[in-house]
Amino acid sequence: MWYIGKRLLQSVFTLFIIITIVFSLLRLMPEEGYLGAAAEKMTPEQQEIILTNLGLRDPLLVQLGNFYMDLFKGDLGTSVTYRTDVPVTTIISEKIMYSLFFGLGAVALSLIIGVPLGILMAHMKGRWLDRLGTGYIVFVVAVPAAVYYIFIQMYVTDIFNLPLLFDEYNKMSWILPLTSMALAPTASYAMWMRRYMVDELNKDYIKLARAKGVKERTLMFRHVMRNAFIPMAQYLPATILFTITGSIYIESLYSIPGMGGLLVDAIQRQDNSVVQGLVLIFSSLGIIGLFLGDLAMALVDPRIKLGKGGSTR
Amino acid sequence: MGDNNEKSRILSIQNLIIKFKLRGQVLTAIRDISLDLYKGESLAIVGESGSGKSVLVKSIMGLLDKNGFIDQGKILYKDYDLSQFSTEKDWLKIRGKEIAMVTQDPMTSLNPLKTVGKQIEECVNLHQGLKGKEAYERTLKLLRDVGIHDVEKRYKQYPHEFSGGMRQRIVIAIAVACNPKILICDEPTTALDVTIQAQILQLLKNLQEMYGLTTIYITHDLGVVAKVADRIAVMYAGDIIEVGKTHEVFFDGKHPYTWALLSSLPQLGAKGEELYSIKGTPPNLFNEIKGDAFAPRNPYALNIDFVERPPFFKVTETHYAKTWLLHSDAPKVEPPQSLQAFFEEGRRYAYEQ
Ligand SMILES: Nc1ncnc2c1ncn2[C@@H]1O[C@H](COP(=O)(O)OP(=O)(O)O)[C@@H](O)[C@H]1O
Ligand SMILES: [Mg+2]
């Protein structure tokens, strides 16, 4: 418990620093970002009034204090240019559902296919399935995603007669974005799983287990698989959390109204409060993901002592 | 012990040749070995590293690396010829149940993510057919038998919570938990502190009696052997060049390689004197070996040693050596000076007992 408490404290502290830095940096941005589309038509006096009302003429520390007060109330401010006067939280929560759905779907799909694929590949190392899987992995890693996405759009849609664009009410249209998104992570899960399995299989304790008369299959399931999955457990929470950010490419390719393009749009339109809200959310996700990863490791790996502090790996 | 009649023979290796394929070449690791193991005895296999000790015992359990294969010969155990075994199903009849193994490095031989109790219990389940509470109780007993205290608590601990010596005790408990007839210990103390070595040896000896085991004890350290073995087989370059009761090999060794091994015992060297070491290197196993493999390093080598491989010459009913020096036409050669005193003393001591 000590270990977890310590890691939690570290995470909160890191989060605090990051938020403060993001906040301060955005104060260095051009102030038009708070004025909206009408900025050019305003006199400098009018601009001053708006900025003062927003609290931007207060000392930086006071601004920071207010910002944190609002943050704890769950208020990220309102959008300036993107969708004027709509709360940032509303904008994000509308979009997040789409990204979350496809993101989690893709993670689930790639775990369900990638992990067993990696296990089978390790089990049949050097045989045809392993070769086939390796071919797939090399393909996905070597060929830019844009290329095979386009191939999917050009041919797969025709062959299976699947809709090209996303439509909330047509479930068939969910298939292609999901599979496209799962292609790369499936390959990497398969690759890591295979690698960790082969590592484990070469270890002495496997030889001893074999010598004591454990069946090869039992050996795979009870000893090797679990041990090989542990290094992956560390990265899984972060991977899952990051699906929230959405995939810019997939979302624009299939016209999914998700988070993917939001940050880019907000930056292009100089909407400071939306940018600030997004950066804050993304960085928190990263930190929470790392923390949960360490937590997961601590739970599954007895070598990490929960009682005392110390390095995790 | 060492009673040579057929009835007590438990394992018989006959004319065994084992080869490995390595990068398109073939290496012969075991070169035509025949060896019997008798029920209840403790046989030590001694030889420098690379001489094929591990390969020999791995072949008995079907644990040769994938690139290795039995080229010729038989391994007879009960009604089986193990050299003909090919499927996992075959080997599962032997592994653990009949023959179990204690491996060299206790630091890596245990699954780091399972409690030691569970790892022992796995064998109890598999080979003693016990489940649940009974299996748990048996596991605790095994932990006690290998000299671990506070067993209920220890049962629940993970390997990293044990010291090297303690882990080796766990590995031994795992092997014994299988209820085997034969226990193979492949350099069980090599990775341990000298002080702990003695304890582990004593433990193995006790367990052998307690559970009526037949043990094969592998080591490259002759000094260790005298304490545990009834018989010794000396290996060199994939061949057994001398075999006999412990005192026969120790105090009446016949093969010059045995002499060399004995001479390099630290106990033999006088204080301040440099330790004896064998000159040259073992032969390359990729090449065909002609004559006596030890001949190029052997100061006593005869001409014939370079031409023809010596057969086993009988010294006594129980003692055989593969050296032409034992042939009736061979010139009389005495073991090195430093050894003669040792032999004398040893023999006197052996007869007094
Ligand atoms: N998988 C393998 N492939 C090729 N050669 C091997 C393999 N395993 C063992 N050998 C060779 O067999 C010989 C005997 O090895 P080993 O039995 O491990 O020696 P030791 O007496 O030290 O236990 C060595 O020359 C080693 O290089
Ligand atoms: Mg060895």
Side-chain angles (χ1 to χ4, degrees), chain A residues 204-205 212 216 223 227 230, chain B residues 88 108 111 119 122 127:
Chain A
D204 283 353
Y205 75 85
K212 70 189 189 188
E216 206 65 21
H223 294 261
N227 295 17
I230 281 187
Chain B
E88 190 190 25
T108 55
N111 186 339
Q119 295 189 53
E122 194 173 16
H127 301 296

Side-chain angles (χ1 to χ4, degrees), chain A residues 7-302:
Chain A
R7 278 292 288 116
L8 187 65
L9 225 73
Q10 274 175 4
S11 301
V12 170
F13 187 65
T14 317
L15 204 58
F16 173 77
I17 292 178
I18 288 187
I19 293 174
T20 308
I21 290 175
V22 168
F23 180 82
S24 311
L25 281 179
L26 277 164
R27 289 298 162 280
L28 299 175
M29 298 272 284
E31 286 173 337
E32 290 94 86
Y34 294 98
L35 296 173
E40 280 150 37
K41 293 174 195 146
M42 292 185 217
T43 62
E45 290 79 22
Q46 285 172 317
Q47 294 187 2
E48 269 310 304
I49 292 168
I50 293 178
L51 291 176
T52 312
N53 286 345
L54 281 171
L56 285 168
R57 287 292 171 262
D58 295 339
L60 197 62
L61 274 179
V62 176
Q63 288 186 38
L64 194 62
N66 290 335
F67 173 70
Y68 270 109
M69 295 281 278
D70 290 343
L71 192 60
F72 281 120
K73 283 184 251 158
D75 179 5
L76 284 174
T78 54
S79 166
V80 186
T81 51
Y82 185 76
R83 272 163 66 190
T84 312
D85 290 338
V86 178
V88 173
T89 44
T90 312
I91 296 179
I92 292 176
S93 62
E94 278 169 13
K95 295 194 158 276
I96 217 165
M97 292 320 295
Y98 293 101
S99 294
L100 210 55
F101 171 76
F102 281 104
L104 290 182
V107 169
L109 195 64
S110 47
L111 277 176
I112 290 169
I113 299 173
V115 170
L117 179 65
I119 292 170
L120 283 176
M121 283 169 71
H123 195 46
M124 306 193 177
K125 198 176 141 213
R127 303 230 290 273
W128 64 268
L129 184 85
D130 187 26
R131 302 238 172 89
L132 200 72
T134 309
Y136 162 63
I137 292 166
V138 169
F139 177 84
V140 169
V141 173
V143 178
V147 175
Y148 55 80
Y149 286 162
I150 285 172
F151 268 87
I152 289 176
Q153 291 226 314
M154 279 166 62
Y155 298 108
V156 181
T157 44
D158 283 347
I159 297 170
F160 296 101
N161 198 19
L162 288 169
L164 191 62
L165 292 183
F166 171 71
D167 170 5
E168 230 179 307
Y169 304 103
N170 178 2
K171 290 196 174 120
M172 295 301 280
S173 75
W174 301 357
I175 297 176
L176 279 186
L178 267 177
T179 36
S180 308
M181 238 168 129
L183 274 179
T186 302
S188 65
Y189 288 138
M191 183 173 78
W192 288 114
M193 200 62 201
R194 177 187 184 278
R195 189 231 134 133
Y196 291 132
M197 289 276 290
V198 171
D199 274 6
E200 290 300 313
L201 273 172
N202 281 328
K203 290 195 175 156
D204 283 353
Y205 75 85
I206 295 298
K207 293 181 185 145
L208 185 74
R210 205 174 272 143
K212 70 189 189 188
V214 178
K215 272 194 214 134
E216 206 65 21
R217 246 210 281 136
T218 320
L219 199 71
M220 277 284 169
F221 284 105
R222 285 225 217 117
H223 294 261
V224 184
M225 238 168 69
R226 177 159 164 246
N227 295 17
F229 195 72
I230 281 187
M232 311 209 8
Q234 187 171 27
Y235 302 104
L236 218 50
T239 317
I240 290 173
L241 284 179
F242 265 107
T243 61
I244 288 175
T245 64
S247 150
I248 294 182
Y249 204 80
I250 295 279
E251 288 181 2
S252 67
L253 205 58
Y254 293 96
S255 309
I256 298 168
M259 297 275 283
L262 187 59
L263 183 62
V264 178
D265 280 349
I267 291 173
Q268 274 170 355
R269 300 202 200 171
Q270 290 201 354
D271 192 331
N272 282 12
S273 28
V274 176
V275 171
Q276 178 178 287
L278 285 175
V279 173
L280 195 147
I281 289 175
F282 292 171
S283 47
S284 322
L285 286 177
I287 288 165
I288 296 170
L290 286 179
F291 170 69
L292 290 180
D294 283 353
L295 191 68
M297 282 289 281
L299 288 179
V300 287
D301 191 336

